[in-house]
Amino acid sequence: LVGMTGSGKSTFISRLTGQASEAGVGHSLASATVDTACYTAAIDGRRVVRLVDTPGFDDTSRPAGDILRSIAARLATIQRARQRVAGIIFVHRITDVRLGGAAIKTLHVLQRLCGPAAYGRVLLATTMWADAAFRSGGRAAAEAREDQLRAYWDGGDLFAGRSAGVVRHESDDAESASAVVNALLNSTANARAGGLLSPLQIQRELVENGVPLDETEAGRYVRGEELQAAK
């Protein structure tokens, strides 16, 4: 799971695992997830999945380069263990009026982590629907934002219309969270039918090709953004 600090990644995992205290859930201005962490959950009582919680690239205590290093290390470990990433869920608050600069940068990092061959394994899940009714414009405004998000997500600038789509994590419970995971798994069923899923781009770069992190596509992008911010 990838997304901004406070978007609901840890809460999402807690709903799936049924253990509210298992995943660090933040209720302050600081980021709760400080490193990647792996959790196991049963979907529909039969299918077992492993979920990786990740810190947001807008983390309040760490630079983006450190966040990328943490995520890349986890993905490299998965690849070396000959396991495969079924997909990536980008978690986004529907209550956010617009995609902020940090969110857009995160999406561009995500592009480069996955690579074009894995675009079909990236899903956008919107959260905080229960809160939308109490915000300006209410439910209608949230649904209008959803349409805008879908247009941007499926546009050529991101995943070229080849993503796993956009879904709602609407009721903030285990059933809704399971539906999100099933939507991702179902969308990648065709890719899995042909055998093992291919590695993500950064996994191929780091593990198969031995490219240093700073020289990967994601690493170069993050380093460029940090240099620009310093200027």
Side-chain angles (χ1 to χ4, degrees):
L1 281 83
V2 178
M4 296 295 95
T5 299
S7 60
K9 301 186 300 295
S10 298
T11 301
F12 182 92
I13 290 174
S14 293
R15 298 295 180 265
L16 280 176
T17 61
Q19 300 179 34
S21 61
E22 183 175 345
V25 179
H27 300 287
S28 68
L29 294 177
S31 174
T33 303
V34 297
D35 205 344
T36 61
C38 190
Y39 304 93
T40 301
I43 304 299
D44 300 330
R46 55 184 178 84
R47 191 157 41 176
V48 176
V49 298
R50 299 179 69 194
L51 302 145
V52 177
D53 192 10
T54 65
F57 277 92
D58 60 337
D59 188 281
T60 51
S61 60
R62 301 167 64 190
D66 284 353
I67 301 298
L68 176 62
R69 190 169 295 108
S70 175
I71 295 173
R74 173 72 68 169
L75 290 172
T77 297
I78 291 171
Q79 176 65 12
R80 292 189 184 102
R82 298 183 181 277
Q83 298 171 340
R84 290 293 184 265
V85 176
I88 295 176
I89 300 172
F90 181 82
V91 183
H92 179 73
R93 294 177 296 248
I94 197 60
T95 52
D96 288 354
V97 175
R98 61 180 60 84
L99 278 171
I104 291 174
K105 289 176 183 177
T106 297
L107 289 172
H108 286 299
V109 174
L110 186 54
Q111 274 184 310
R112 291 157 176 80
L113 284 172
C114 295
Y119 283 174
R121 288 146 65 186
V122 186
L123 180 76
L124 171 63
T126 53
T127 60
M128 313 291 182
W129 280 92
D131 295 340
F134 304 99
R135 302 297 178 95
S136 177
R139 179 89 176 184
E143 290 174 348
R145 284 194 295 273
E146 182 185 39
D147 290 339
Q148 294 171 347
L149 276 171
R150 184 175 283 108
Y152 177 70
W153 183 261
D154 290 332
D157 288 343
L158 276 180
F159 303 112
R162 306 198 326 252
S163 77
V166 179
V167 297
R168 296 181 187 179
H169 175 42
E170 188 163 7
S171 55
D172 194 24
D173 56 22
E175 183 178 358
S176 176
S178 294
V180 171
V181 174
N182 277 326
L184 177 62
L185 296 177
N186 291 338
S187 73
T188 60
N190 291 335
R192 294 197 305 272
L196 287 176
L197 291 168
S198 62
L200 301 181
Q201 178 168 291
I202 197 166
Q203 292 177 311
R204 188 180 301 109
E205 289 172 315
L206 293 173
V207 179
E208 297 185 1
N209 300 334
V211 177
L213 178 60
D214 284 350
E215 296 304 319
T216 64
E217 292 291 330
R220 287 203 297 267
Y221 176 81
V222 169
R223 190 172 72 248
E225 289 295 312
E226 289 181 332
L227 287 172
Q228 186 63 35
K231 289 179 183 178

